[in-house]
Each structure stands twice: as structure tokens, then as C-alpha cells.
Amino acid sequence: MYSQIYTTTKIWIQLIMIWVVSFGLMVPPLLGIWGQLGLDPNTFSCTILPKDGKSPKKYLFVLAFALPCVVIIISYSCIYWKVRQSKRKLEGRSKLSGQTAKEKEEDSRLTTLMLTIFLCFLACFLPLMIMNVADDGITYPWLHIIASILAWASSVINPLIYAATNRQYRAAYANLLKFCKNSAVTKRTTWGSRTMGHSSNSPHYVEKRNHMKDKPTNL
């Protein structure tokens, strides 16, 4: 079903909906209809502040944590179940009993990858959700700051997770770094060749070379 779901048109629709929903949720506080945007001096952050004693902050944080959490659990459970199901069908066709060491290693790697992604998601967003819901009065501002830093860190940890748990990603990163290194070496070599070419054609060098030609050679 992949080719049917991820057509060019449907991908554009998905991307547009992501931006529309993300910014649409911030329209009420932006317009001051339900809460308001502003600086919270206790946590040094621009966030949703109460207006007339009302704010959508709690609801948004619970929704922003609970919905992705459910989607991740369902999606990765389906992926894992499908992989196991396909392997069992393959074993049945090949009349193999049990798993080989390589298949067990792949299953273990897949399980580790999905578990790592989910645990990192919890570690990054669960503290922020708890602090904004349980400590609405901001009794412990330093905990809010730490929770915010963890949430921001979620933007950079996924490449590290995939690189640490997947051989294909590690190979791709290695090729990229190798390409960058080779490009830098090529540029330095080209620059050095041009520099030597220019210096050999300089007036001082040409004059010295002509002088050496005219000088008699002692045999």
C-alpha cells in the first residue's frame, strides 16, 4: 500500500496538513481568544500565558504528548508484528524450523531500535508534559527549564539513534564524511597546484630562470 499512500500529491497534502494543524492550534492564544502568548520570566521562555484565568496550555501539552505516544506504539507494534509474520511465512515455505542466528540478531536489532526511539521520546517529552500539567503555578522553575531543554534535544537525537543502531545509516554517514574529506583534499591539492603554477610564472622566477640559462656551465 506504500505506493498508493505516498504519492507526490498525497505527500504534499500531508506536509500542508502538518503545518496547518501545528499553527492552527496556536491561533487562539495568538489572537488572545484562549490564553495569550508572552514571556514567562520564571522559566525564561516564550509560552502560552493565562488570560482571564484561562489557558489552553495544559490541553495542548497533554494532546502533544498523548497523541504521538499512541501513534508510535501502534505504528512500531504493527511494523514489528509484520516483520515477524513475514519471517514465519518465509520459514514455512522454506521448511525451516526455528530461527537462524542471523535472523535472531536482526530481530534483536529491530526491537532495540524501536524501544530506543520510544524511550527517548518519553525521556524528552514526558518531563515537559508533567511539569506543565502538575506544576502549573511554576513552583520549581529550574525543573521547567530542564524539561524544556530535553524537549529541544529531541530534534537532534534521532540521527544519533539511527546511526548507533543501524548499519545502513552508519555506512551512509561514513560515505558522506569520506566524500567531504576527499573534497577537502582535492580542493587543497588544486589550490596548491595553482599556487605553484602562478609562482613559477612570476617575474622574479622567470628572470632567475633566464639568468641560469645564460650562465656558462663548468664541465
Side-chain angles (χ1 to χ4, degrees):
M1 296 177 62
Y2 185 91
S3 58
Q4 299 175 5
I5 296 174
Y6 291 100
T7 62
T8 303
T9 303
K10 291 180 180 178
I11 288 175
W12 274 108
I13 293 174
Q14 292 174 28
L15 292 174
I16 292 172
M17 288 301 299
I18 289 172
W19 285 89
V20 169
V21 172
S22 300
F23 281 96
L25 292 173
M26 299 303 296
V27 169
L30 178 63
L31 300 178
I33 300 174
W34 189 14
Q36 59 183 352
L37 299 179
L39 174 65
D40 188 347
N42 295 318
T43 59
F44 310 104
S45 62
C46 294
T47 183
I48 302 174
L49 303 176
K51 183 179 181 181
D52 301 328
K54 298 179 181 180
S55 171
K57 190 174 183 178
K58 285 186 178 182
Y59 303 100
L60 290 178
F61 272 102
V62 171
L63 177 65
F65 176 80
L67 183 60
C69 190
V70 171
V71 170
I72 289 174
I73 292 175
I74 294 176
S75 299
Y76 283 106
S77 298
C78 291
I79 291 172
Y80 185 76
W81 175 257
K82 192 68 178 178
V83 170
R84 292 299 300 268
Q85 194 177 28
S86 299
K87 287 188 176 182
R88 286 176 182 175
K89 289 181 179 179
L90 183 61
E91 287 178 359
R93 292 175 184 174
S94 304
K95 296 181 181 181
L96 296 175
S97 58
Q99 290 180 314
T100 63
K102 185 176 181 180
E103 288 174 339
K104 288 182 179 180
E105 184 183 355
E106 291 176 354
D107 284 344
S108 176
R109 188 181 296 112
L110 178 63
T111 305
T112 302
L113 173 61
M114 293 188 296
L115 186 62
T116 303
I117 292 174
F118 183 66
L119 291 178
C120 287
F121 173 80
L122 292 180
C124 289
F125 289 104
L126 184 59
L128 186 64
M129 192 272 292
I130 292 176
M131 294 309 301
N132 280 278
V133 173
D135 189 26
D136 193 30
I138 311 182
T139 307
Y140 306 99
W142 61 276
L143 287 177
H144 285 263
I145 295 174
I146 294 175
S148 296
I149 293 174
L150 288 174
W152 296 330
S154 66
S155 302
V156 297
I157 62 173
N158 272 348
L160 301 179
I161 294 173
Y162 283 105
T165 57
N166 192 288
R167 287 175 296 181
Q168 284 80 5
Y169 274 89
R170 288 198 297 271
Y173 283 128
N175 290 334
L176 178 63
L177 294 176
K178 189 184 300 182
F179 173 78
C180 294
K181 183 179 179 180
N182 291 339
S183 298
V185 171
T186 303
K187 287 182 179 179
R188 285 199 298 268
T189 305
T190 305
W191 182 83
S193 301
R194 290 178 179 175
T195 304
M196 291 298 294
H198 289 313
S199 61
S200 62
N201 293 325
S202 62
H204 175 74
Y205 184 83
V206 171
E207 182 180 355
K208 185 177 180 180
R209 184 173 56 192
N210 293 335
H211 176 71
M212 293 298 295
K213 285 181 180 180
D214 296 336
K215 189 177 179 180
T217 304
N218 296 328
L219 299 178

